[in-house]
Amino acid sequence: MNFATLGYVVFLLIIVAGYWLMPRTWGRYWLVAASLVFYGSWNPAYVPGFAVLIVANWALGLMAVARPRLAVLLGVSINLSVLAFFKYADWVLGSSANLLERITGEPPGFSPLGIILPLAISFVTFTMLAYVIDTARGSRPERHLGRFALFVTFFPHLIAGPIMRGYEFLPQVRHPRPFRRTYLVAALPLLVGGLFKKTLGDNLAPVVESLFADPTGFSSVAIWIGVTAFAFQIYFDFSGYTDLALGSAQLLGFRLPRNFDWPYRSLSIQEFWRRWHMTLSRWLRDYLYIPLGGSRHGPARNYLALFTTMLLGGLWHGAGLTFVIWGGWHGVGLAVHRWWRRRGGGALPPPAAWGVTFLFVLIGWIFFRAESVSDAMTILTRAISLTDGAGLPAWTAVAVVAFLAGQWPGWTDLLREALPQGSYRRYAAQGAVLAFTVLILPVDATEFIYFQF
């Protein structure tokens, strides 16, 4: 069920109305049932397995009070085994089969299983794994299975995050609040803004698709514009989803953590990861980077921890060498940035720092989006070789320039002054944005990019 569809709007209105009209003690069960329906609308066959995984992690959270090490060992083993089987088994089998065929010259006796990836498997396993580890570290376990099930299944964040912690969400479930008008006031700009972002991303999708489908026909300038278009497509798509998720949760009286903070304004790669997919960055920091040694054991160990963390973060995104390279690229960038700061290197002037950071991120996006390493290298080679070829539609260049200009921090300050919170001017502006969104809405809305992870 795509957030940016009329079907979801109807679903959300029914769930919100039912939740506020029924007694508070029934509300959590209503939301769990709605969330399972939401999840099962893609493939109901996976709902029973999802439920078993929820019960197992709930039990592990209770076990973690008395047997923390055993609970963590079982939690890591169970959750990562499920993730590895569904997400990486076919990749490993396919790669192994190709390698053996090249070595022996004959097809091996095995092949990929054709596993259908359960929706949101990466986000779900990370959420439950964090819960078990946090409980073992001293966080309060949730003894009520219904409340824990709502924490995991809550439909606004279920498919693509934000990745929540138990201590952030479970207190809100334990102490539900009565309806307040402020929920609607807070939700409206998130819902309108999220739909607007998603629509912008969908309008960029055809240009991005044409470039990455056959980059050999485009000039160097067109390739850079197309790659920049993808950078904004994935930002609008993912941050748009997040805004819609936060807005949907607000209508039900729940607060979800922020996931984006204008990442393309960053002046360093470290700052970029503090602003991009913030809940994943926090997860990687707390459960990979720090356990790997962090900055506590000298420079060499620190650089290795940064590189390994981002390499595994890339692999989390997908079973493919392109994602591994993308993660490794960012790991190298973070390690070099840390080395530069450690040796006393000064900061670049802001325009230069922004340009270097944005270019670094763009190169990484080439590998993230490309279908194969060879395709990524073709795009990168043509981008830096000043080749001639076809261009992209003129409006694409105008849009890219407009998007880049929109990164200027002063715009947000001007908007806050011109459209103060609670003013009719702000509501009128939101109505205008919604009308414009409907006007440019593509005929066929695409799935959110991060649904595949």
Side-chain angles (χ1 to χ4, degrees):
M1 193 180 300
N2 194 327
F3 276 8
T5 61
L6 182 59
Y8 177 74
V9 173
V10 174
F11 171 82
L12 182 62
L13 291 176
I14 293 173
I15 300 308
V16 170
Y19 179 74
W20 290 118
L21 290 173
M22 66 179 53
R24 294 294 86 220
T25 53
W26 296 2
R28 72 173 71 98
Y29 302 108
W30 170 253
L31 292 181
V32 170
S35 298
L36 291 176
V37 169
F38 179 82
Y39 184 83
S41 65
W42 271 279
N43 192 334
Y46 284 120
V47 173
F50 186 25
V52 170
L53 199 59
I54 291 170
V55 174
N57 280 274
W58 171 71
L60 288 172
L62 298 178
M63 178 193 293
V65 177
R67 305 286 299 277
R69 291 187 178 180
L70 179 59
V72 170
L73 177 62
L74 291 174
V76 170
S77 301
I78 292 172
N79 288 294
L80 293 189
S81 294
V82 170
L83 181 63
F85 174 75
F86 282 107
K87 198 162 187 177
Y88 306 108
D90 272 355
W91 180 49
V92 172
L93 288 172
S95 300
S96 301
N98 290 335
L99 179 61
L100 285 175
E101 186 171 0
R102 290 183 179 182
I103 294 174
T104 64
E106 297 180 0
F110 61 90
S111 61
L113 304 175
I115 298 171
I116 300 175
L117 186 67
L119 199 65
I121 184 68
S122 297
F123 288 93
V124 168
T125 53
F126 268 31
T127 296
M128 291 192 284
L129 186 57
Y131 169 78
V132 174
I133 295 173
D134 286 344
T135 305
R137 291 174 175 175
S139 292
R140 174 184 173 183
E142 178 50 63
R143 300 187 178 278
H144 193 286
L145 178 57
R147 289 197 288 257
F148 179 76
L150 179 55
F151 158 62
V152 176
T153 65
F154 189 49
F155 68 89
H157 89 104
L158 176 61
I159 307 303
I163 302 173
M164 290 195 302
R165 307 290 184 87
Y167 58 78
E168 292 174 327
F169 188 78
L170 285 169
Q172 300 182 67
V173 182
R174 296 177 188 129
H175 307 288
R177 296 172 292 179
F179 176 78
R180 295 188 178 94
R181 179 177 171 272
T182 53
Y183 300 155
L184 179 60
V185 173
L188 186 60
L190 289 167
L191 294 171
V192 172
L195 182 60
F196 177 60
K197 289 179 180 178
K198 172 59 175 169
T199 303
L200 289 177
D202 284 352
N203 277 277
L204 289 171
V207 173
V208 174
E209 184 66 33
S210 64
L211 169 66
F212 281 87
D214 182 20
T216 58
F218 292 95
S219 68
S220 298
V221 173
I223 286 176
W224 282 118
I225 293 174
V227 172
T228 306
F230 174 68
F232 282 95
Q233 181 202 2
I234 193 171
Y235 168 69
F236 287 137
D237 190 276
F238 195 13
S239 67
Y241 168 90
T242 301
D243 288 349
L244 290 167
L246 267 63
S248 299
Q250 278 282 358
L251 288 177
L252 294 162
F254 294 94
R255 291 183 178 180
L256 304 185
R258 293 179 65 192
N259 220 12
F260 292 90
D261 182 19
W262 295 87
Y264 294 141
R265 290 178 178 175
S266 302
L267 302 183
S268 70
I269 192 62
Q270 183 182 50
E271 183 183 356
F272 174 80
W273 279 103
R274 288 174 178 169
R275 292 171 174 266
W276 175 274
H277 204 345
M278 295 156 65
T279 55
L280 175 63
S281 298
R282 185 179 57 171
W283 198 101
L284 294 173
R285 179 198 65 198
D286 292 349
Y287 305 113
L288 277 178
Y289 173 68
I290 293 177
L292 286 171
S295 58
R296 303 187 305 274
H297 302 288
R301 179 79 172 269
N302 184 209
Y303 304 147
L304 181 61
L306 285 168
F307 179 76
T308 304
T309 297
M310 295 310 299
L311 198 69
L312 294 174
L315 189 60
W316 173 84
H317 280 82
L321 190 54
T322 53
F323 291 110
V324 174
I325 293 174
W326 174 76
W329 174 253
H330 279 273
V332 169
L334 288 168
V336 170
H337 176 265
R338 184 65 57 85
W339 168 82
W340 176 259
R341 298 300 297 270
R342 182 174 274 122
R343 69 184 296 271
L348 296 174
W354 175 84
V356 170
T357 302
F358 189 64
L359 178 62
F360 184 92
V361 171
L362 285 185
I363 293 173
W365 284 138
I366 292 174
F367 288 92
F368 189 96
R369 176 61 177 79
E371 296 294 332
S372 66
V373 176
S374 60
D375 285 352
M377 293 307 299
T378 298
I379 293 171
L380 187 57
T381 301
R382 291 186 64 83
I384 63 179
S385 61
L386 302 180
T387 57
D388 293 327
L392 291 171
W395 68 264
T396 309
V398 174
V400 166
V401 172
F403 295 156
L404 292 174
Q407 301 309 299
W408 177 51
W411 283 116
T412 50
D413 296 332
L414 291 175
L415 285 174
R416 289 192 189 98
E417 293 176 5
L419 306 170
Q421 183 72 35
S423 69
Y424 288 105
R425 283 177 291 172
R426 174 166 288 205
Y427 293 130
Q430 291 169 357
V433 170
L434 181 60
F436 180 71
T437 301
V438 173
L439 183 65
I440 64 173
L441 200 66
V443 175
D444 297 317
T446 61
E447 288 283 10
F448 287 90
I449 294 173
Y450 263 71
F451 278 12
Q452 62 184 299
F453 306 130

